[in-house]
Amino acid sequence: MDEDGLEIVPLARLLSAYGGRDAARHRLIWAFDARLADIVRTTREPVIGQMRLTWWHEVLTDAAQAKGRGDPLVDAWRAAGMAAGKGCLAMIDGWEELIGPDAPDDTALRAFAERRGGGLFSALAGEPDDPSALLQNAGAVWALWDLSGHVTSGATADRAIMLARDYLPATKGLPWPGEWKAQKIALGLARRDILRDRAAPGSLTPGMYFHLVRIALFGR
């Protein structure tokens, strides 16, 4: 649990620190992503999982800000004046792609990557009106890499890494605004493993931490 009561993994906490003045907002978005991931991970009946994800959609779009009141994350989200942008709503749709009794096929994995990852990176960037293709593709790369370290199926992990390779070319040679530093670091971590056909670690490792600091200092 983070110092402000948010449940986010150590990697997300580190990346949030590179959000600059938006670090607190970044932590809220990562906590939101973690809550969606937990829904998918703990769902046994697809209909129930879809209902739980729909609840979050209703929370984010409730103009009266009544639904979900009392939930620590919801209360923190509203206290910070967070808006329900397209990126956050896309994240919900992306996670929904993984709910079901069968392993996700390539179509579902791509939809997950583009919605969860692209939505996440766009939300971290402040929900620009015209989402950048760089953010969308970088987010997709990161989401597939991250997924590869959290699935029990080796075949799904391998497919996720292979599909992530398809998005990598669209992230090369483009300028990264300074305020997107956290997303750039996340992409760099993912790229290293993907180019080696290696799934993501299940948790933060010393090697990953060293590489994160190196990207933050030198950009690679």
Side-chain angles (χ1 to χ4, degrees):
M1 183 175 290
D2 198 27
E3 60 185 9
D4 45 14
L6 300 176
E7 294 188 5
I8 57 177
V9 298
L11 176 58
R13 189 179 307 124
L14 281 172
L15 290 172
S16 296
Y18 291 97
R21 63 183 181 183
D22 289 327
R25 184 175 61 80
H26 279 213
R27 287 194 296 271
L28 283 168
I29 293 169
W30 283 110
F32 172 58
D33 183 65
R35 188 72 71 87
L36 300 180
D38 185 64
I39 289 173
V40 174
R41 182 172 55 252
T42 59
T43 289
R44 297 296 176 266
E45 295 292 334
V47 173
I48 301 299
Q50 289 166 349
M51 290 174 61
R52 294 170 69 191
L53 291 176
T54 297
W55 183 87
W56 270 106
H57 192 286
E58 293 173 350
V59 165
L60 295 186
T61 56
D62 179 16
Q65 297 194 348
K67 193 173 185 68
R69 189 175 297 161
D71 180 287
L73 177 55
V74 175
D75 290 346
W77 187 276
R78 290 171 176 162
M82 300 280 283
K86 293 180 181 178
C88 290
L89 297 178
M91 289 167 65
I92 298 173
D93 294 337
W95 279 110
E96 188 174 0
E97 293 290 339
L98 301 187
I99 290 182
D102 302 319
D105 59 16
D106 286 3
T107 299
L109 287 172
R110 289 192 185 95
F112 163 78
E114 293 169 12
R115 294 169 186 168
R116 183 247 178 153
L120 172 64
F121 275 33
S122 179
L124 292 172
E127 300 280 11
D129 292 334
D130 184 19
S132 161
L134 174 58
L135 284 176
Q136 295 294 308
N137 287 298
V141 169
W142 184 87
L144 287 165
W145 170 78
D146 180 63
L147 179 67
S148 73
H150 293 90
V151 291
T152 57
S153 167
T156 298
D158 290 344
R159 287 304 303 161
I161 293 299
M162 290 184 67
L163 291 173
R165 278 180 168 270
D166 295 342
Y167 293 96
L168 273 178
T171 67
K172 292 181 179 179
L174 298 175
W176 282 85
E179 59 269 27
W180 294 358
K181 187 172 185 177
Q183 295 96 308
K184 181 180 181 180
I185 294 171
L187 173 65
L189 291 174
R191 179 189 290 118
R192 183 182 66 162
D193 283 339
I194 292 166
L195 293 178
R196 297 177 181 179
D197 292 323
R198 186 169 63 192
S203 59
L204 183 66
T205 65
M208 187 190 297
Y209 177 77
F210 174 81
H211 191 56
L212 183 153
V213 173
R214 178 176 175 175
I215 296 171
L217 291 176
F218 306 111
R220 58 185 178 83

